[in-house]
Amino acid sequence: DPPLPGWEKHSAAAMTILGQIHDSEGRHAEAEALFLRALNYYADPSEATNPKLLAILGTLADHFDRYVPLPEKAIEFAQRIISALDQQKIESPVLGQALVWLAGDKERREYADAGTTYLRAVDVIYRTARKDGIERTNVRVDLANLRIDQPFRHRADLFIAA
């Protein structure tokens, strides 16, 4: 059933939370349907940097990165976040995380701009996230994982040195 008029954004938030629950339970198809339905309530281009829309896009990127491994879809949603925030010249931990998704994707590590993108992600996260924020911890874990992956150890060491 569609939400009552004026309640669309509240319904989108509830759908996103329910979708996250479904993802954690392994009900990925149901989660994806809820996420995409929630996204439809933010179709207005003027809302491109709305924090709730960015959260839904981030949830979709995470869904396709962790639960349903479709890197090209995760990258698509990450790029939407990056594009919206870059156009408005907004830097935030959300931008940093989207850059991490783009640069850290295993299938795309070899693309030419991965190093530059990852360095930008680290820079944005360290300038915008709280000192005790989870974003800083996550980026350190990503660097550690990159170091473990032997073919990319040298690149990870360069990131750490920077």
Side-chain angles (χ1 to χ4, degrees):
D1 293 336
L4 296 171
W7 284 84
E8 294 87 355
K9 306 296 193 228
H10 299 289
S11 293
M15 285 178 213
T16 302
I17 292 168
L18 183 58
Q20 289 170 326
I21 292 168
H22 286 339
D23 252 352
S24 70
E25 294 174 338
R27 298 164 55 192
H28 305 303
E30 293 172 63
E32 185 177 329
L34 286 166
F35 296 146
L36 293 173
R37 190 168 158 206
L39 187 60
N40 285 332
Y41 292 119
Y42 286 94
D44 184 354
S46 69
E47 294 185 305
T49 58
N50 181 311
K52 292 180 181 175
L53 169 60
L54 295 174
I56 294 169
L57 292 171
T59 300
L60 277 159
D62 187 55
H63 168 78
F64 288 113
D65 183 50
R66 279 200 295 166
Y67 298 109
V68 181
L70 291 172
E72 66 281 355
K73 296 293 280 183
I75 289 168
E76 173 190 331
F77 291 109
Q79 286 177 323
R80 281 185 63 181
I81 293 169
I82 295 165
S83 175
L85 293 175
D86 279 351
Q87 284 179 6
Q88 296 296 315
K89 300 188 182 335
I90 297 171
E91 288 194 334
S92 69
V94 173
L95 174 61
Q97 181 58 51
L99 289 163
V100 168
W101 278 314
L102 180 60
D105 187 284
K106 288 183 180 181
E107 277 67 37
R108 293 182 49 106
R109 277 190 190 153
E110 302 214 17
Y111 89 102
D113 295 330
T116 304
T117 302
Y118 201 83
L119 286 175
R120 181 177 177 214
V122 171
D123 178 58
V124 168
I125 288 171
Y126 270 77
R127 283 188 295 104
T128 61
R130 293 181 12 203
K131 289 193 188 281
D132 61 347
I134 189 72
E135 297 90 353
R136 287 182 174 210
T137 303
N138 288 344
V139 82
R140 287 185 189 119
V141 169
D142 288 340
L143 280 171
N145 287 333
L146 196 57
R147 287 194 82 220
I148 290 168
D149 197 354
Q150 285 300 320
F152 301 101
R153 185 180 185 100
H154 177 69
R155 187 179 295 174
D157 289 341
L158 292 175
F159 293 149
I160 291 167

